[in-house]
């Protein structure tokens, strides 16, 4: 898409554990990719520094090439003493999905297993050690290559140590220009770290173990007290963002702050936090051009959607009825996503003669696997696909009449937005970014309304919204088709949100 060029071009370096399309586990990878690409189009100089995971498909990294070797300080705590070493690190460069990347990994992978294994998280390596090493390596690379970006944009706990190391170590080693932005995509994981484990960065963690810095307040009085990397990241950043205004409010009010409640209550932290709603990548998610679909469609030419629905029904062995609404859920299967409500929706669809398609995986997938193989094996209206599949995701969004997101909490949520872009009507629990993006048909004017929402965490609340949507589909098809077209026309791209990020960058950047 065409972006306005900003008058001042900033040098922005992201530190991240994920980058779509090839190093993506959840929304984090999409968000960094979408934001980076849009800022590049706006005329900024953007680079993403990320781990060179062993599992990355190297053939999908354009122009992959060796850049330099660097010696990265590293430590290990032993009997109260820190033993310092350096780890020879190989830095590569390339382009992933249009975004220039710097990939770092130990030069001799056989001597240590950092970032090795068949997947991004939960591989065979020690995550805390690997990401602490990664933060140090990224900063060391910036120092060695003589770069002075305006902005270091950090994401999630995995990269928070870079904020601590930048201000306490690297600002005395010649890195002076960067200002730091931390984006919190999810406060569920905050990076707990023993003081001695922080030594993996080559720096003693003790200096960070105060309430004002990175001490994990819930461990005060315990032996030993611990650090919390996300807390440290917030303290040591110039600005902190989270991925929707409502989630920011929920976090600041303490409701969703979890263990970091007392940190977030502090005025000097509180005043730095703001919410910027995520966009979606409207080129990657474009029903008018999507090559993974049997037919393309748009608000002006919506007919292809019916074909996509028929094709999915046929492919999955479902009853090929255009009059049964397809209710889709595409999600990681973890408690955050409202597992009990996903299950309740499945049975409600069964009762109401709707079809239900789940694409999901994660540590709560056992029950769904069992149902898929027994109760709903070859069922004509229910299909539970317990797996991760990019191409199936595209086909399901395109076929869906309803996209359901019944999360217990949701920092932003992308699937409701992607679903809308493909003409589905979202049914969501009114929390976090879902509350910011979905407006209920029964309380908003036509044109403004785009879906159905509910408040409670019980099945009755879910039924209330889902039933209203199913009735709408069944009894007012013309109005439903209009709603679907409205949703396809909604502006969901990164244009709007990237402008907010650029304004934030400018508000803190050095000349
Ligand atoms: P989260 O980041 O919490 O996982 P989001 O809604 O922000 O949730 O982002 C989820 C992203 O991951 C979307 O792009 C969605 O399409 C994708 N996704 C989730 N589960 C699957 C799956 N099983 N197969 C394919 N894509 C998935």
């Amino acid at each position: 898409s065409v972006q306005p060029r900003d008058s001042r071009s900033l040098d922005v370096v992201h530190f991240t554990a994920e980058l779509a399309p090839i190093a993506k586990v959840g929304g984090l990878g999409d968000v960094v990719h979408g934001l980076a690409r849009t800022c590049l189009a706006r005329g900024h100089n953007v680079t993403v520094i990320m781990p060179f995971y062993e599992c990355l498909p190297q053939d999908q990294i354009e122009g992959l090439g060796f850049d330099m070797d660097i010696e990265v300080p590293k430590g290990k705590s032993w009997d109260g003493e820190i033993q310092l070493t350096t780890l020879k690190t190989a830095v590569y460069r390339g382009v992933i999905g249009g975004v220039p990347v710097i990939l770092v990994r130990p030069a001799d992978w056989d001597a240590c297993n950092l970032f090795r294994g068949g997947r991004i998280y939960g591989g065979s390596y020690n995550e805390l050690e690997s990401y602490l090493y990664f933060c140090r390596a990224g900063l060391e690379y910036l120092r060695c290559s003589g770069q002075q970006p305006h902005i270091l944009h950090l994401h999630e706990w995995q990269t928070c140590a870079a904020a601590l190391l930048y201000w306490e170590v690297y600002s005395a080693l010649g890195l002076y220009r960067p200002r730091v932005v931390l984006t919190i995509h999810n406060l569920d994981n905050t990076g707990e770290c023993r003081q001695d484990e922080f030594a993996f960065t080559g720096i003693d963690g003790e200096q960070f173990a105060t309430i004002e810095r990175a001490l994990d307040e819930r461990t005060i009085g315990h032996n030993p007290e611990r650090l919390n990397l996300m807390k440290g990241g917030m303290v040591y950043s110039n600005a902190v963002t989270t991925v929707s205004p409502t989630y920011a409010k929920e976090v600041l009010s303490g409701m969703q702050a979890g263990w970091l409640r007392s940190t977030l209550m502090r005025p000097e932290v509180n005043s730095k936090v703001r919410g910027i709603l995520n966009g979606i990548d409207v080129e990657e998610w474009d029903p008018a051009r999507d090559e993974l679909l049997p037919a393309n469609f748009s608000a002006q030419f919506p007919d292809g959607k019916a074909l996509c629905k028929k094709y999915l029904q046929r492919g999955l062995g479902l009853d090929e009825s255009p009059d049964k609404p397809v209710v889709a859920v595409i999600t990681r299967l973890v408690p955050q996503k409202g597992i009990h409500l996903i299950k309740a929706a499945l049975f409600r669809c069964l009762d109401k003669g709707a079809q239900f398609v789940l694409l999901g995986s994660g540590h709560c997938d056992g029950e769904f696997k069992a149902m898929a193989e027994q109760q709903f094996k070859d069922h004509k209206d229910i299909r539970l696909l317990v797996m991760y599949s990019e191409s199936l995701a595209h086909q399901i969004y395109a076929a869906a009449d309803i996209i359901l997101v019944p999360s217990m909490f949701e920092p932003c949520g992308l699937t409701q937005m992607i679903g809308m872009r493909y003409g589905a009507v979202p049914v969501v629990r009114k929390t976090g970014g879902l509350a910011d993006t979905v407006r209920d048909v029964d309380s908003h004017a036509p044109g403004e309304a785009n879906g159905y929402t509910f408040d409670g965490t019980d099945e009755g609340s879910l039924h209330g919204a889902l039933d209203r949507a199913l009735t709408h589909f069944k009894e007012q098809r013309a109005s439903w088709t209009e709603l679907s077209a409205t949703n396809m026309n909604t502006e969901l791209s990164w244009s709007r949100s990237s402008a907010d990020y650029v304004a934030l960058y400018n508000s803190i950047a050095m000349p």
Side-chain angles (χ1 to χ4, degrees):
S1 55
V2 182
Q3 297 298 325
R5 306 278 297 186
D6 292 317
S7 50
R8 179 184 185 196
S9 171
L10 295 166
D11 297 338
V12 180
V13 170
H14 292 268
F15 278 52
T16 180
E18 294 183 32
L19 183 70
I22 65 167
K24 160 179 162 177
V25 177
L28 169 65
D30 289 320
V31 171
V32 180
H33 184 248
L35 177 61
R37 237 184 34 175
T38 313
C39 286
L40 282 164
R42 297 178 78 107
H44 301 282
N45 188 6
V46 184
T47 307
V48 170
I49 302 187
M50 60 185 286
F52 198 152
Y53 298 103
E54 186 180 32
C55 66
L56 288 187
Q58 295 187 17
D59 56 334
Q60 292 176 46
I61 306 174
E62 285 160 60
L64 178 64
F66 176 74
D67 187 335
M68 61 164 89
D69 275 330
I70 55 176
E71 291 292 337
V72 176
K74 202 165 173 303
K76 197 174 188 146
S77 180
W78 186 258
D79 232 5
E81 298 285 311
I82 293 181
Q83 297 179 340
L84 283 177
T85 49
T86 59
L87 184 58
K88 188 171 172 189
T89 295
V91 181
Y92 293 80
R93 58 171 64 243
V95 174
I96 293 178
V99 175
V101 294
I102 292 294
L103 299 150
V104 300
R105 53 165 269 194
D108 180 7
W109 240 342
D110 292 330
C112 63
N113 73 346
L114 304 179
F115 297 124
R116 298 196 66 178
R119 43 197 183 143
I120 291 186
Y121 305 124
S124 57
Y125 65 89
N126 176 334
E127 277 187 15
L128 184 63
E129 177 182 7
S130 297
Y131 288 115
L132 288 175
Y133 154 76
F134 167 68
C135 290
R136 181 82 199 236
L139 289 167
E140 191 58 27
Y141 165 74
L142 291 178
R143 189 183 73 82
C144 292
S145 57
Q147 298 183 48
Q148 298 287 355
H150 295 98
I151 299 291
L152 294 183
H153 193 154
L154 312 179
H155 301 269
E156 301 293 67
W157 72 266
Q158 287 93 341
T159 65
C160 282
L164 283 60
L165 295 174
Y166 170 58
W167 291 109
E168 296 295 348
V169 181
Y170 280 84
S171 62
L173 293 177
L175 258 185
Y176 62 87
R177 194 160 72 164
R179 290 295 174 265
V180 182
V181 178
L182 167 65
T183 295
I184 299 170
H185 299 257
N186 196 327
L187 262 182
D188 228 9
N189 295 313
T190 57
E192 288 134 46
C193 173
R194 290 199 317 268
Q195 254 181 68
D196 61 283
E197 286 170 320
F198 196 85
F200 289 133
T201 62
I203 299 294
D204 191 341
E206 200 183 338
Q207 60 181 304
F208 299 108
T210 67
I211 293 200
E212 295 72 33
R213 293 182 168 186
L215 190 70
D216 192 331
E217 288 164 55
R218 93 194 101 141
T219 69
I220 291 175
H222 290 249
N223 185 21
E225 291 172 345
R226 297 185 179 205
L227 304 178
N228 185 294
L229 296 173
M230 195 82 106
K231 172 182 168 178
M234 291 197 273
V235 168
Y236 279 92
S237 292
N238 299 92
V240 179
T241 70
T242 184
V243 289
S244 72
T246 298
Y247 188 63
K249 261 187 239 150
E250 290 168 352
V251 159
L252 289 172
S253 72
M255 196 162 86
Q256 291 296 350
W259 297 112
L260 292 177
R261 202 186 157 101
S262 46
T263 303
L264 282 153
M265 291 290 165
R266 224 175 287 142
E268 69 275 18
V269 173
N270 208 288
S271 57
K272 287 192 274 198
V273 180
R274 76 187 70 189
I276 300 178
L277 194 66
N278 284 338
I280 58 171
D281 186 330
V282 293
E283 281 165 35
E284 148 111 17
W285 301 109
D286 183 0
R289 294 216 176 78
D290 196 326
E291 286 170 8
L292 296 165
L293 304 184
N296 290 111
F297 60 91
S298 62
Q300 293 92 319
F301 305 100
D303 294 353
K305 187 165 171 76
L307 272 168
C308 290
K309 177 167 168 178
K310 199 179 171 68
Y311 178 85
L312 184 81
Q313 288 169 322
R314 182 167 301 173
L316 297 181
L318 296 171
D319 186 7
E320 288 178 37
S321 162
D323 296 322
K324 288 183 177 173
V326 169
V327 178
V329 178
I330 299 178
T331 189
R332 291 184 297 124
L333 288 168
V334 296
Q336 172 195 339
K337 301 295 181 180
I339 303 290
H340 69 291
L341 293 182
I342 294 173
K343 223 177 101 182
L346 184 175
F347 287 102
R348 195 65 168 186
C349 288
L350 201 57
D351 282 351
K352 297 273 173 182
Q355 294 185 328
F356 184 89
V357 176
L358 167 78
L359 176 64
S361 60
H363 70 260
C364 302
D365 64 16
E367 199 181 354
F368 291 98
K369 251 186 218 154
M371 286 193 288
E373 282 155 21
Q374 295 155 25
Q375 202 171 352
F376 297 113
K377 193 172 188 325
D378 304 325
H379 196 283
K380 68 183 192 342
D381 289 321
I382 310 285
R383 196 59 71 243
L384 305 175
L385 305 160
V386 183
M387 63 175 93
Y388 185 94
S389 162
E390 216 42 73
S391 57
L392 267 170
H394 282 253
Q395 285 158 19
I396 295 171
Y397 284 120
D401 296 296
I402 291 174
I403 181 94
L404 174 70
V405 196
S407 305
M408 296 298 99
F409 72 94
E410 193 56 80
C412 180
L414 298 175
T415 65
Q416 81 280 15
M417 292 197 266
I418 302 171
M420 282 191 252
R421 176 120 172 106
Y422 282 75
V425 171
V427 173
V428 307
R429 189 162 166 267
K430 211 169 168 183
T431 178
L434 299 170
D436 290 323
T437 51
V438 182
R439 290 171 295 279
D440 198 288
V441 168
D442 289 328
S443 52
H444 289 80
E448 217 180 284
N450 57 15
Y452 289 90
T453 65
F454 62 97
D455 280 299
T457 55
D458 59 301
E459 294 186 12
S461 304
L462 163 87
H463 291 164
L466 184 57
D467 290 0
R468 285 186 293 128
L470 295 175
T471 306
H472 186 172
F473 179 90
K474 206 164 120 204
E475 294 176 4
Q476 297 173 272
R477 277 302 270 285
S479 132
W480 183 273
T481 306
E482 251 171 65
L483 182 58
S484 166
T486 302
N487 287 359
M488 285 190 248
N489 275 331
T490 308
E491 162 66 347
L492 299 164
S493 79
W494 272 99
S495 300
R496 170 201 45 174
S497 319
S498 65
D500 292 342
Y501 277 104
V502 170
L504 177 66
Y505 293 162
N506 275 311
S507 73
I508 59 172
M510 297 268 285

